[in-house]
Amino acid sequence: QVQLVESGGGLVQAGGSLRLSCAASGSIFRVNDMDWYRQAPGNQREMVASITPGGSTNYADSVKGRFTISRDNAKNTVYLQMTSLKPEDTAVYYCNAEITPRRTLLRSRYWGQGTQVTVSS
């Protein structure tokens, strides 16, 4: 069973930093793009950052210059380093990945369970 497990969320003061991790596990042939999304109460889920297997990245304008996405392909893990955090960054953060399981060899998208990030003013 392919699974994404997130960690690293918590409470931080405005201006602080936090690092999120998301590890893919199971019988995996390949992990393609890996992304971070977030959803605040009453808001739509929005993409925060994405990264390709080769390391090409893309960021939402709202986090550009403050957040850094990276990955460790050997560990099938994606990270989101968040700095200069603002109260408006408060949300549940989800990782998403396109994964090819060894069992099916068919690409599918998977979601993590989400981790809460709260930034106090």
Side-chain angles (χ1 to χ4, degrees), residues 29-42:
F29 175 75
R30 177 179 173 85
V31 179
N32 296 307
D33 291 355
M34 304 186 82
D35 314 312
W36 285 99
Y37 288 75
R38 68 185 182 187
Q39 187 169 22

Side-chain angles (χ1 to χ4, degrees), residues 11-15 85-87 90 118-121:
L11 176 64
V12 65
Q13 292 182 338
L85 283 162
K86 305 174 181 179
T90 295
T118 302
V119 184
S120 62
S121 59

